[in-house]
Amino acid sequence: MALSRGRLYVADIDTLVEIDPATGQITARYGAPGARFLNDVTADTAGNVYVSDSQTYRIYRLQGDSLTVWLDSPLLRSPNGIYALPDYLVVAAADSSAARPGGARYLHAVAYADRTPRPLGAVRPLGGIDGVEPADGGFFLSDWGAARVYFYDPTIDSLQVLVEVSQGTADFDYVPEQQRLYLP
């Protein structure tokens, strides 16, 4: 889920659903052409909404009222967790040679300007990364299968286990003002 332009956006298999958070009413549905399993949602500062399709190589973008394929790259197999930073989209995805893409995800930066995926930090799998949230020059990451939450600093390639949790912990939220991580 992501909040943007006063609306809540939620991934629902092959549709991005727009909800009025004040009333809980669905205000729009945007079909994603060719989508197989829409997963994580994020929004940039311009109000564009991005959603990953974890069973393809695609990331969709809602710009205005149009949901289209923004990126379709074999360099990003099974994209899952995404987060919009000012200059680039952070994407947790496997590369095209990964035997088990869900269990061997890498962290990528995709610049809005050229849409080219580049490694974010070292070129090594960090695990079954699901959720991604920036913090203190690095990223909090969740690993659904390993039941862990990490802090990753890409500048020094440091992956630190913060907590072991129940298997299935996926997306989460970080509130920097409270220095608090909320895990469902």
Side-chain angles (χ1 to χ4, degrees):
M1 297 185 288
L3 286 169
S4 180
R5 303 175 294 173
R7 295 289 190 234
L8 176 66
Y9 293 89
V10 179
D12 185 17
I13 308 299
D14 62 357
T15 304
L16 184 65
V17 180
E18 180 184 282
I19 300 168
D20 180 340
T23 65
Q25 297 298 309
I26 294 173
T27 55
R29 293 178 190 270
Y30 304 96
R36 294 185 22 209
F37 193 83
L38 296 181
N39 197 312
D40 201 8
V41 183
T42 189
D44 66 22
T45 56
N48 298 307
V49 178
Y50 300 84
V51 58
S52 61
D53 184 346
S54 63
Q55 291 189 4
T56 68
Y57 303 103
R58 293 187 186 132
I59 296 173
Y60 292 81
R61 178 176 66 182
L62 177 66
Q63 187 173 34
D65 289 333
S66 177
L67 183 66
T68 58
V69 174
W70 180 74
L71 181 67
D72 189 351
S73 173
L75 297 174
L76 297 177
R77 183 176 177 189
S78 186
N80 194 327
I82 58 175
Y83 193 91
L85 289 174
D87 297 326
Y88 58 90
L89 195 65
V90 178
V91 181
D95 69 15
S96 59
S97 65
R100 288 187 36 230
R105 288 198 176 96
Y106 300 75
L107 209 54
H108 305 270
V110 181
Y112 301 115
D114 66 8
R115 300 183 192 181
T116 300
R118 294 177 176 85
L120 189 58
V123 183
R124 68 177 175 109
L126 299 173
I129 303 169
D130 197 298
V132 177
E133 288 279 332
D136 304 322
F139 299 92
F140 290 117
L141 307 171
S142 66
D143 186 324
W144 186 93
R148 293 187 180 121
V149 176
Y150 303 102
F151 181 77
Y152 179 63
D153 184 337
T155 62
I156 59 173
D157 189 32
S158 170
L159 185 65
Q160 174 187 4
V161 176
L162 297 179
V163 64
E164 302 244 351
V165 292
S166 301
Q167 187 177 40
T169 297
D171 295 327
F172 54 89
D173 196 24
Y174 176 62
V175 180
E177 300 81 18
Q178 299 174 357
Q179 293 189 354
R180 189 164 299 199
L181 194 61
Y182 291 93
L183 304 168

